[in-house]
Amino acid sequence: MASIHVLETITGECLDLSFEGKGVVRDGDRTIFVTGMFPGDKGEVDILYKRNGVFFGRIHKLSELSPDRIKPVCKVCTSCGGCCFQAYRYSAQLAFKKKLVEEQFRKVGHMQIEAFETLGMNNPFNYRNKVQVPFGMDQWHQNIIYGFYKEGTHIIVKNEDCAIEDVRGNKIVKELCNMFTELQIMPYEEKTGEGYIRHALVRTSKHFNEIMLVIVSTKVYFPRKDRLVELIKERLPEVTTVVENINGEKTNIILGEKDKILFGKGYINDTLCGVKFRISAKSFYQTNPIMTEILYKTAMDYANITENDVVFDAYSGIGTIGLIAATKGAKHVTAVENVKEAVEDAIYNAKANNIANYEAVCDDATEYLVKAAKEGKKIDLLFMDPPRKGSTTEFINAVKEIAPNRIVYVSCNPSTLARDCAQFVDKYNVIKIQPVDLFPHTSHVECITLLCRK
Ligand code: SAH
């Protein structure tokens, strides 16, 4: 592995945390973002590189420790980059996330808003129902390994006991790696384009004994595939379905277009807020089932649904929010989502739960809403839950034209949430914001925002 070049070593104190959860150190008029440094930490910092006017660095040696610094559970949390906060007291993480949301509203949305205290977990470990790991060879080209990409690189950091993932998922990928070694099924190598296995994904159900294993390969045909499936059935009987996903592209996107069920149903079921959901390999499903229930309960609480409400669920995935809303007595729910498999799941889920006042449409949310506004469609309550990049100005303008009296905006990115809310404020008041910690030990936070028409 190439050693990293140190530009300079300085002495400083961490004063704050950045949006990505890095320690902020000031040195004259320079700002340095330091991985793994927390407010109150003092000591020597190696400056490594400069990007967009900001310096990035790492801890060289600490002389004084933050009062919130604790011993992390995971041995590789500083190198793997998945959990920037494991060495940071959980209550401090929650306080950071509330402050982060308020800061984004102030900086990006130009709004002074006080968010509620972040709702956190009682036991913030092993919460992730999805284990997703890249496979590769170790640096000596001897052993097949899996783990995490080291932050900002494609170097795989070996991690066999992730502290935030479901223990069942951890065990499955470990055994799968042994099988690849035994059968000599080689991992894909980016440099040469050779090899077969890119990633493995394990999705575990919280409420049912169902586990889906997705093997992302470069080609439909990889050697000893049938034998591999036999071994999985034999040694991992808890896996109820195996899907092969084929991704032959030179890309950072994990899943390819094509799927092939190798055995089982090709999906798992889970339950959220009393509704049963089918989840396919390509469909989005929140990764923290305990906090997702709290998230959706809060969303329903904010929505305050009545029997006259015509509801719209934009960016609906497998139908979670809209279907729960339909069971809360809404008159009718229409959902829109652009991944075909997720829409098929949503339609199936409505039927399986005997929910008749629901329809799901496969379309781009913006295109659908712009059409709906032109046609004069009526909506009383809008749920929107876009991906990290947020929604679009056209979508927001169409919403304003349709003028639902309440909007419940669920967001996994406070920055785009604040940007989008700022576009609503001529017609809507931001009533309240609840941060929910779906991603303990990372810098990410989910938010529910209620907007009401002026
Ligand atoms: N509300 C769902 C999914 C939220 S994630 C849940 O709670 O599980 C965001 C979803 O938006 C994903 O399912 C993604 O596929 C979908 N999406 C992304 N861009 C979209 C677009 N332009 N139009 C419609 N759906 C989109």
Side-chain angles (χ1 to χ4, degrees), residues 272 282-286 292 295-296 313-321 336-339 342 363-366 384-389 392 410 446:
L272 282 171
K282 283 221 277 288
S283 301
F284 175 88
Y285 187 60
Q286 289 285 9
T292 300
L295 180 81
Y296 292 160
D313 178 14
Y315 309 92
S316 55
I318 59 169
T320 41
I321 296 175
V336 68
E337 157 68 42
N338 70 353
V339 171
D363 202 347
D364 172 75
T366 299
M384 56 189 286
D385 184 7
R388 281 188 70 74
K389 66 172 192 266
T392 64
V410 179
E446 194 85 14

Side-chain angles (χ1 to χ4, degrees), residues 19 99-109 414-415 418:
F19 184 73
K99 195 174 137 228
L100 172 80
V101 172
E102 291 168 349
E103 212 171 80
Q104 291 304 307
F105 269 86
R106 200 172 57 246
K107 283 189 186 160
V108 181
S415 177

Side-chain angles (χ1 to χ4, degrees), residues 176-449:
L176 187 69
C177 186
N178 292 339
M179 293 178 200
F180 289 149
T181 306
E182 190 176 323
L183 299 176
Q184 301 230 322
I185 302 174
M186 303 313 278
Y188 168 70
E189 278 196 80
E190 260 171 38
K191 269 193 207 138
T192 58
E194 280 169 21
Y196 303 98
I197 306 299
R198 298 174 79 119
H199 277 83
L201 249 88
V202 182
R203 263 182 168 167
T204 46
S205 167
K206 182 168 181 289
H207 291 271
F208 301 96
N209 279 328
E210 294 182 351
I211 300 180
M212 172 164 56
L213 169 62
V214 183
I215 298 170
V216 186
S217 65
T218 50
K219 300 180 181 74
V220 186
Y221 299 100
F222 64 82
R224 296 167 289 286
K225 184 156 83 181
D226 293 345
R227 182 70 193 126
L228 177 71
V229 175
E230 273 171 37
L231 283 188
I232 294 171
K233 284 185 190 167
E234 215 175 283
R235 295 183 195 168
L236 295 168
E238 65 272 38
V239 173
T240 49
T241 185
V242 179
V243 176
E244 182 186 2
N245 176 274
I246 298 110
N247 187 355
E249 306 290 315
K250 263 198 178 291
T251 167
N252 282 339
I253 297 166
I254 294 176
L255 293 179
E257 274 296 304
K258 261 197 251 150
D259 271 355
K260 195 164 173 250
I261 298 174
L262 298 184
F263 95 85
K265 295 182 289 198
Y267 60 85
I268 55 165
N269 294 291
D270 209 352
T271 304
L272 282 171
C273 302
V275 181
K276 187 174 168 184
F277 292 100
R278 170 180 108 173
I279 308 140
S280 304
K282 283 221 277 288
S283 301
F284 175 88
Y285 187 60
Q286 289 285 9
T287 53
N288 183 335
I290 294 173
M291 294 313 282
T292 300
E293 281 210 323
I294 291 175
L295 180 81
Y296 292 160
K297 273 187 190 142
T298 311
M300 294 306 142
D301 181 33
Y302 280 19
N304 194 16
I305 296 167
T306 68
E307 61 198 25
N308 295 324
D309 281 332
V310 174
V311 178
F312 194 84
D313 178 14
Y315 309 92
S316 55
I318 59 169
T320 41
I321 296 175
L323 284 168
I324 295 168
T327 65
K328 300 282 177 217
K331 189 173 174 188
H332 187 78
V333 180
T334 306
V336 68
E337 157 68 42
N338 70 353
V339 171
K340 189 176 105 267
E341 290 80 358
V343 176
E344 285 164 7
D345 283 346
I347 293 168
Y348 174 95
N349 290 332
K351 275 208 195 99
N353 289 283
N354 292 319
I355 296 172
N357 53 337
Y358 181 88
E359 66 180 321
V361 182
C362 186
D363 202 347
D364 172 75
T366 299
E367 281 180 24
Y368 188 91
L369 227 73
V370 168
K371 264 183 280 165
K374 271 203 196 113
E375 290 162 10
K377 270 216 171 93
K378 174 181 170 289
I379 298 172
D380 300 300
L381 164 65
L382 168 76
F383 288 101
M384 56 189 286
D385 184 7
R388 281 188 70 74
K389 66 172 192 266
S391 192
T392 64
T393 302
E394 295 76 31
F395 179 95
I396 293 166
N397 287 339
V399 173
K400 286 196 261 188
E401 219 176 304
I402 298 171
N405 49 45
R406 290 106 75 210
I407 300 169
V408 177
Y409 191 147
V410 179
S411 161
C412 58
N413 184 346
S415 177
T416 53
L417 169 69
R419 181 202 67 198
D420 290 351
C421 281
Q423 295 191 62
F424 275 118
V425 288
D426 56 334
K427 296 274 164 56
Y428 286 82
N429 290 315
V430 176
I431 308 292
K432 45 187 173 179
I433 305 177
Q434 177 64 67
V436 184
D437 193 18
L438 261 70
F439 318 103
H441 308 298
T442 77
S443 61
H444 294 269
V445 61
E446 194 85 14
C447 278
I448 308 157
T449 306

